[in-house]
Amino acid sequence: MVGSPHEALHRIFQKDPALLTRALQRVLHVPFPEPREIAAMNVDLTEIEPVERRVDTLLRAETDEGTYLLVVESQGKADDRKRGSWPYYLSYLYEKYRCEPVLIVITQSSATARWASQPIRLGFPGWHSLTVRPLVLGPDNVPVITEERQAERDVPLAVLSAMTHGRGPQAPAILESLASALRTIDPDNAAVFVQFIDSCLTDPQAKQMWRDLMTAIQYFWRHPLAEQVREEGREQGREEGRVQDRREMVLRILEWRGVQLADAIREQVEACTDLDQLETWAQRAVHATDAAELFAEE
């Protein structure tokens, strides 16, 4: 189970390796050749010496122009140790596989993206023995996908958008469009993407909104990730607590989506004690443009 933004940010490319080449072509506008085949490889770069070195994700892409090794590194903050480790990874992989290695760095931070984009030059000024130029995916170049149809056309790219922009001002619109798009793909694949996003959302409000959306469409609770949340609910142990949670969820979704709430509607939701009714209202709240639509069929 994915438990951190660092892991989720690179494992999404293990889940859908072709997403990485699409990102190179469409986001970074790198003329990377179209792969005939792409597969994940062993990430362990440890030598016989007792020094362990591992890349985050390693993919092998077979193209008409040759074979490439795509080295994906998830980076949370600037780290000067990468000045030594990244060149090592690339040179080691070339020596071992005799394939051209390509370094891709993915981050949720604009500042980290700027740092990672700087070339690593080894040698003396004017005569560099080795230069490493990472390709960087981050908030400044990964597209912001807020339209449901756009998210449906490329769900993995929409997931990447949510993972990199999950703490920005457009996060609500991104998460809402993605929540709808996930219902159009295989449930098992969608469950993995749900977990990736939940792990990457570091903003508490955005994370709660995402879980509310998944609960409202009765999807989040089918995934093992929800066991942690269910365990928290069992500790409360009272039906009243579950009802109150659903009341707050209905109101929170409406407020998050910018739907105006009249006092009478708020009072009606807060007075409801029927858990099934509150679940229905929560599902309607995901798409409602007017709070009165909660009660449209009643």
Side-chain angles (χ1 to χ4, degrees):
M1 175 172 157
V2 176
S4 70
H6 174 93
E7 189 176 1
L9 278 172
H10 68 84
R11 279 191 56 188
I12 185 175
F13 298 114
Q14 297 176 17
K15 177 64 180 173
D16 184 358
L19 171 63
L20 187 55
T21 57
R22 294 201 302 276
L24 293 178
Q25 296 164 351
R26 302 177 192 177
V27 178
L28 298 178
H29 305 293
V30 173
F32 191 86
E34 193 66 31
R36 296 192 308 271
E37 181 182 352
I38 188 167
M41 299 178 66
N42 189 340
V43 299
D44 192 347
L45 307 185
T46 305
E47 300 182 75
I48 296 176
E49 300 293 332
V51 177
E52 182 176 337
R53 299 180 186 271
R54 292 176 182 271
V55 296
D56 288 335
T57 286
L58 180 61
L59 304 173
R60 184 185 185 110
E62 302 285 351
T63 77
D64 290 337
E65 299 178 19
T67 300
Y68 295 89
L69 299 177
L70 305 179
V71 183
V72 185
E73 285 282 282
S74 172
Q75 196 68 28
K77 60 183 180 180
D79 183 354
D80 287 340
R81 292 175 299 178
K82 299 300 182 180
R83 178 178 167 84
S85 59
W86 285 346
Y88 170 84
Y89 295 162
L90 300 181
S91 59
Y92 176 86
L93 287 169
Y94 180 78
E95 174 63 21
K96 181 175 182 178
Y97 295 104
R98 293 295 170 175
C99 300
E100 298 293 340
V102 180
L103 174 62
I104 300 103
V105 178
I106 181 167
T107 180
Q108 294 176 294
S109 164
S110 295
T112 303
R114 289 191 294 272
W115 164 81
S117 297
Q118 299 301 311
I120 299 172
R121 296 186 175 95
L122 304 180
F124 61 85
W127 195 274
H128 300 114
S129 302
L130 177 65
T131 300
V132 175
R133 299 180 61 192
L135 296 166
V136 181
L137 294 168
D140 296 329
N141 55 17
V142 172
V144 175
I145 298 179
T146 59
E147 298 295 330
E148 184 176 332
R149 289 186 178 180
Q150 186 182 4
E152 290 177 356
R153 284 196 295 271
D154 194 337
V155 173
L157 186 60
V159 172
L160 184 63
S161 177
M163 292 162 66
T164 51
H165 298 284
R167 56 185 178 188
Q170 301 190 77
I174 294 172
L175 296 178
E176 183 181 351
S177 65
L178 179 57
S180 297
L182 284 174
R183 290 181 291 184
T184 67
I185 66 173
D186 176 75
D188 291 336
N189 289 331
V192 176
F193 291 145
V194 168
Q195 183 184 2
F196 286 162
I197 296 165
D198 192 87
S199 297
C200 273
L201 292 175
T202 55
D203 181 274
Q205 185 177 12
K207 185 184 286 284
Q208 186 58 54
M209 289 175 180
W210 177 245
R211 290 185 172 186
D212 287 347
L213 279 170
M214 295 297 96
T215 304
I217 61 176
Q218 296 182 347
Y219 185 75
F220 175 80
W221 299 93
R222 297 204 303 266
H223 192 270
L225 177 64
E227 182 59 33
Q228 175 185 348
V229 180
R230 284 197 291 268
E231 184 62 31
E232 294 170 0
R234 283 194 290 268
E235 290 177 2
Q236 296 177 358
R238 298 186 181 88
E239 180 72 11
E240 181 180 347
R242 290 193 292 271
V243 168
Q244 182 60 30
D245 285 345
R246 292 302 182 275
R247 290 178 188 141
E248 293 174 356
M249 182 175 70
V250 172
L251 298 174
R252 195 160 53 230
I253 292 175
L254 291 172
E255 291 171 351
W256 168 46
R257 299 188 67 248
V259 177
Q260 294 294 321
L261 273 172
D263 290 342
I265 291 179
R266 183 182 295 274
E267 291 171 2
Q268 185 170 349
V269 172
E270 291 178 343
C272 182
T273 58
D274 186 330
L275 188 59
D276 291 337
Q277 181 64 76
L278 289 167
E279 292 278 10
T280 300
W281 288 349
Q283 294 178 44
R284 293 176 184 170
V286 173
H287 299 289
T289 56
D290 187 298
E293 294 177 21
L294 292 182
F295 321 117
E297 300 177 10
E298 298 167 17

